Amino acid sequence: MIYPFFRPLLFRLDAEKAHHLTLAALKWLPAGTPAEPDSALSTIVVGIHFPGPVGLAAGFDKDGIVAEKMHHFGYGFSELGTLTPLPQAGNPTPRLFRLAEDRAVINRMGFNNGGQEEAKKRLTRMPRTGRVIGINIGANKDSVDRIADYATGVRNMAPLADYLTVNISSPNTPGLRALQDRKALDELLGAVMDARGADLTPIFLKVAPDLEPADIDDIAQCVTDHKIDALIISNTTITSPPLHSRHAGEAGGLSGAPLHDLALQRLRDFRAKLGTAMPLIGAGGISNAEQAYARIRAGASLVQLYSAMVYEGPWLAAHINQGLKQLLARDGFTNIAQAVGIDAPSH
Ligand SMILES: Cc1cc2nc3c(=O)[nH]c(=O)nc-3n(C[C@H](O)[C@H](O)[C@H](O)COP(=O)(O)O)c2cc1C
């Protein structure tokens, strides 16, 4: 209710300053216990009990400062990161842009984060509410062995995570997306699964939306071969749909409304390829219950969002949950899991 009052004030600030101010405000919220999960929205995916299907996407809370607090706003799970083994400053500022007319964001942050050691200390101290925390891991920009960085990330962060996300799809670390290529991906996923060892923390892979059919075939084969637990579709796009804002020409990854159709299509592509064999998590341009529901009906077991929250405020997840409950009841479903993939051709 109060976000429409604060938004114009935040929007007068540079986008990254506004983000830091938001994190600082959230940090001071009392810890408390999140509301009881709703039985229609609770779901089990890869053996994890998710109290709700709407998650906070990576990038909002890279260092794990407010992750637990986000559960009070209706998020069923929060994904921290991307965290790299060593701290790094990221790209020069300005590197984060609001495209208000397009309900979009462009970022070229470049994995700015305090590093995994700092995060480990913080997360160990953090009071846990028992809600789901995912940790998204990446490679340092100057690393000589990026694959080793992911293996290090698994060893560092698995003890603190309900699931880990291997992020090879950020466009702002030069060459990172090349890890999606068949041979490199095979090597990377082999190293990640070896590093996981006997500790069976579920491993998710996060892919770009900018993929050709042959890339989708290769990725689907690799994730199946290596028994990856779930796929997050998708990260930001480097394609340029028509945009109207003055920042439209900024370099970086585009997220929010203009990514919606592309991310939905990629989800459909992977669902067509993988069937029900692997849980999918839909992200990209989701801003209301209808869009979240459409993503679930297309095959997503869970969804994530970030950019729409910039425009709609932190309570967006709670609003989406309310809307999802109504949509499920309208269609005669008693639990969200019954709607997953109902619109997919292979259903
Ligand atoms: C400012 C910003 C920073 C992001 N940083 C990360 C990141 O560090 N790691 C990652 O996997 N995705 C990152 N993302 C991508 C989001 O997690 C998400 O996949 C993407 O923005 C699409 O969802 P949305 O349209 O709801 O924002 C970032 C997105 C934004 C807007």
Side-chain angles (χ1 to χ4, degrees):
M1 294 292 265
I2 52 170
Y3 191 68
F5 171 75
F6 281 111
R7 189 176 53 197
L9 304 174
L10 282 175
F11 276 29
R12 260 189 238 156
L13 300 175
D14 157 76
E16 193 168 343
K17 283 208 181 83
H19 179 67
H20 288 306
L21 197 65
T22 306
L23 287 182
L26 289 168
K27 198 175 158 186
W28 291 111
L29 280 181
T33 314
E36 273 303 300
D38 188 289
S39 63
L41 299 180
S42 302
T43 182
I44 294 179
V45 180
V46 298
I48 303 171
H49 175 252
F50 289 82
V54 183
L56 177 68
F60 177 77
D61 185 18
K62 289 179 189 271
D63 290 305
I65 293 166
V66 298
E68 282 287 5
K69 304 278 172 72
M70 300 314 284
H71 298 139
H72 297 285
F73 295 98
Y75 287 101
F77 60 112
S78 319
E79 190 168 310
L80 322 181
T82 297
L83 285 162
T84 51
L86 301 176
Q88 65 179 29
N91 289 323
T93 56
R95 55 192 179 177
L96 178 60
F97 305 90
R98 285 182 296 255
L99 284 70
E101 294 86 343
D102 301 295
R103 294 260 151 176
V105 172
I106 290 180
N107 92 82
R108 51 170 179 270
M109 306 298 287
F111 286 170
N112 58 306
N113 75 106
Q116 290 167 1
E117 291 305 326
E118 269 304 306
K120 268 165 66 178
K121 286 185 212 147
R122 183 176 300 114
L123 294 174
T124 308
R125 286 195 310 262
M126 183 172 78
R128 296 292 288 260
T129 59
R131 293 297 167 86
V132 179
I133 297 278
I135 303 184
N136 179 307
I137 55 171
N140 279 110
K141 184 179 172 204
D142 298 328
S143 168
V144 287
D145 186 347
R146 286 190 171 164
I147 289 181
D149 275 18
Y150 285 93
T152 302
V154 172
R155 283 189 291 267
N156 275 338
M157 304 317 296
L160 292 158
D162 294 302
Y163 71 86
L164 291 173
T165 298
V166 173
N167 174 22
I168 47 169
S169 47
S170 287
N172 302 312
T173 297
L176 192 84
R177 282 185 171 193
L179 288 171
Q180 294 181 139
D181 297 346
R182 178 73 184 260
K183 199 167 158 294
L185 186 58
D186 193 40
E187 202 185 325
L188 170 70
L189 297 184
V192 162
M193 292 318 242
D194 281 352
R196 179 173 76 153
D199 157 21
L200 292 181
T201 307
I203 305 280
F204 298 179
L205 180 73
K206 184 166 178 180
V207 297
D210 312 320
L211 297 170
E212 298 298 323
D215 304 324
I216 293 169
D217 289 352
D218 285 351
I219 292 172
Q221 191 59 54
C222 264
V223 294
T224 307
D225 290 349
H226 289 279
K227 300 191 170 58
I228 293 300
D229 293 281
L231 212 50
I232 303 182
I233 309 161
S234 72
N235 214 309
T236 56
T237 179
I238 51 170
T239 59
S240 326
L243 298 169
H244 309 284
S245 312
R246 71 189 167 99
H247 293 305
E250 292 292 346
L254 173 70
S255 54
L259 172 60
H260 175 275
D261 292 358
L262 181 63
L264 173 59
Q265 187 51 49
R266 284 300 158 269
L267 180 88
R268 289 186 176 133
D269 295 341
F270 275 103
R271 169 71 187 213
K273 202 79 222 157
L274 291 163
T276 54
M278 181 165 301
L280 307 177
I281 297 158
I286 294 173
S287 68
N288 58 42
E290 287 72 20
Q291 290 171 344
Y293 191 51
R295 209 68 63 105
I296 289 163
R297 290 184 63 113
S301 298
L302 302 162
V303 296
Q304 293 181 322
L305 62 86
Y306 177 171
S307 301
M309 191 173 62
V310 173
Y311 297 102
E312 308 295 337
W315 288 106
L316 178 60
H319 289 308
I320 292 180
N321 287 337
Q322 283 306 321
L324 279 175
K325 273 191 338 190
Q326 287 165 11
L327 291 165
L328 289 173
R330 181 198 70 188
D331 293 347
F333 297 124
T334 52
N335 182 267
I336 196 88
Q338 296 159 351
V340 173
I342 204 90
D343 291 338
S346 63
H347 180 71

